[in-house]
Amino acid sequence: MAKLLICDPIAASAIEALRATGVEIDVQDSITLEELAEVIGEYEGMVVRGRTKVREPLIDKATHTRIIIRGGVGLDNIDVAYAESKGIQVCNTPAASSNAVAELALGMMFALARHIARADASMKAGGWDKKKLKGTELSGKTLGVIGYGRIGRLLGAKGKALGMQVVAYDPYIKHEDLVPLEELLAQADYISLHLPHTETTHHLLNTAQFALMKNGVRIVDAARGGVMDEAALYAALLSGKVAAAALDVYSEEPPQGELLRKLVELPQVVATPHIGASTKEAQARIGDEIVKLVQEYLA
Ligand code: NAD
């Protein structure tokens, strides 16, 4: 390969290993789209995470590019079909961050069950709200996992290890934990989302689905913002239908619109800034997989 441009931050060890393959590596991991459009014509390969948006106008300038590697899972920041129509191979590192996301979802379930974030905020403000912070236990509760792929199944196994009943909904696979969506919504004390955001899954959870849920259900979204209708979630949190929610992803990131700000600021919401894959271990695995993909490409 002539030259490879790393457009978003990746592990330093991966950059070293990439250089060791003999490929010429340029690192410009805070490059703007305008700057990228100027230089991309020189590169045979590009490595991106979620920050760099590889849309049609950029792909049109990438006249010598043959491979785009996305470190991470979702390919929503790349116009994959268009890139492929130009003969560019697009690949990602889908399994590298699965455990990190499953552990965050589990941590969020504990945070919701035991009000950990609220307790901490109150302590830091000098409070001692022991009486207001009575929690619940995960053991014995029903966990409904929507999307039972890599992350969903890992979370299911962790839930079972804690003594939870696990039901899952996924129309595209076979598994003994699967039930129809309506059944999952009716049974689950915790619902965790682990499916991609596509035209079909957009607002999969909306006002009608919230109405089918148990009163006081707790919801975790560490998948993608648009899968849940955030306005419907906000209304369900205000009415008490949903007791609490934990969000790592948003339809707008960072969330700046009025509705999303109000949602994030609710005391019964625990919000994190899209950190599902942000563990040292996952970042190292993503780096290792990027190196493997480059080696396979060269071979
Ligand atoms: P995966 O492809 O292994 O699993 C996704 C599952 O969703 C598949 O089994 C698929 O059949 C199922 N699915 C598709 N449409 C569905 C529908 N309409 N209803 C129910 N299930 C449906 O993917 P994964 O690696 O487990 O990732 C799951 C999600 O997590 C993705 O949206 C990914 O973008 C997101 N993710 C988030 C972070 C983060 O930082 N928060 C990090 C990595 C991945």
Side-chain angles (χ1 to χ4, degrees), residues 2 5 26 54 60 63-64 67 79-80 95 106 108 118 122 146 148 182 192-193 216 221 230 232-233 236 244 271 276:
L5 180 63
D26 287 342
V54 190
D60 284 336
T63 44
H64 291 100
I67 183 167
D79 286 341
V80 177
L106 186 65
M108 287 175 141
R118 263 168 59 201
S122 139
I146 302 183
Y148 219 39
E182 293 70 28
S192 196
L193 304 181
D221 186 3
E230 290 150 327
L233 173 67

Side-chain angles (χ1 to χ4, degrees), residues 73-74 94 97 101 146-151 169-173 194-196 201 222-224 248-249 274 276-277:
V73 184
S97 52
V101 183
I146 302 183
Y148 219 39
R150 286 173 293 259
I151 300 170
Y169 170 70
D170 190 320
Y172 305 111
I173 61 153
H194 299 288
L195 66 169
T201 65
R224 282 290 181 270
D248 186 48
V249 289
H274 204 145

Side-chain angles (χ1 to χ4, degrees), residues 35-67:
E35 290 164 345
L36 189 52
E38 293 290 311
V39 300
I40 194 59
E42 298 170 31
Y43 291 93
E44 188 172 335
M46 63 193 291
V47 173
V48 301
R49 299 294 312 273
R51 187 190 71 95
T52 299
K53 309 289 176 243
V54 190
R55 303 289 175 221
E56 285 189 27
L58 183 68
I59 295 168
D60 284 336
K61 302 256 181 183
T63 44
H64 291 100
T65 304
R66 288 291 148 261
I67 183 167

Side-chain angles (χ1 to χ4, degrees), residues 98-212:
S98 306
N99 190 61
V101 183
E103 286 193 11
L104 180 71
L106 186 65
M108 287 175 141
M109 283 161 53
F110 277 119
L112 297 183
R114 302 305 298 270
H115 315 300
I116 294 173
R118 263 168 59 201
D120 176 64
S122 139
M123 286 290 289
K124 288 190 166 67
W128 186 257
D129 290 339
K130 196 172 161 74
K131 289 216 172 70
K132 288 192 206 152
L133 293 166
K134 185 185 283 168
T136 51
E137 296 178 17
L138 297 183
S139 177
K141 301 295 186 304
T142 298
L143 166 62
V145 183
I146 302 183
Y148 219 39
R150 286 173 293 259
I151 300 170
R153 286 199 300 271
L154 278 170
L155 180 66
K158 293 174 198 302
K160 286 179 190 176
L162 291 168
M164 302 184 86
Q165 328 294 335
V166 177
V167 289
Y169 170 70
D170 190 320
Y172 305 111
I173 61 153
K174 285 197 180 355
H175 196 285
E176 59 192 18
D177 295 342
L178 297 185
V179 296
L181 181 59
E182 293 70 28
E183 231 173 87
L184 181 151
L185 298 176
Q187 290 177 10
D189 302 294
Y190 286 81
I191 293 175
S192 196
L193 304 181
H194 299 288
L195 66 169
H197 183 217
T198 62
E199 269 175 33
T200 340
T201 65
H202 183 70
H203 289 187
L204 183 87
L205 294 191
N206 55 37
T207 306
Q209 274 70 44
F210 283 115
L212 300 175

Side-chain angles (χ1 to χ4, degrees), residues 250-262 264-265:
Y250 310 86
S251 57
E252 178 198 19
E253 295 187 0
Q256 277 159 351
E258 194 190 340
L259 170 77
L260 290 186
R261 289 311 315 162
K262 284 198 306 195
V264 163
E265 285 162 18

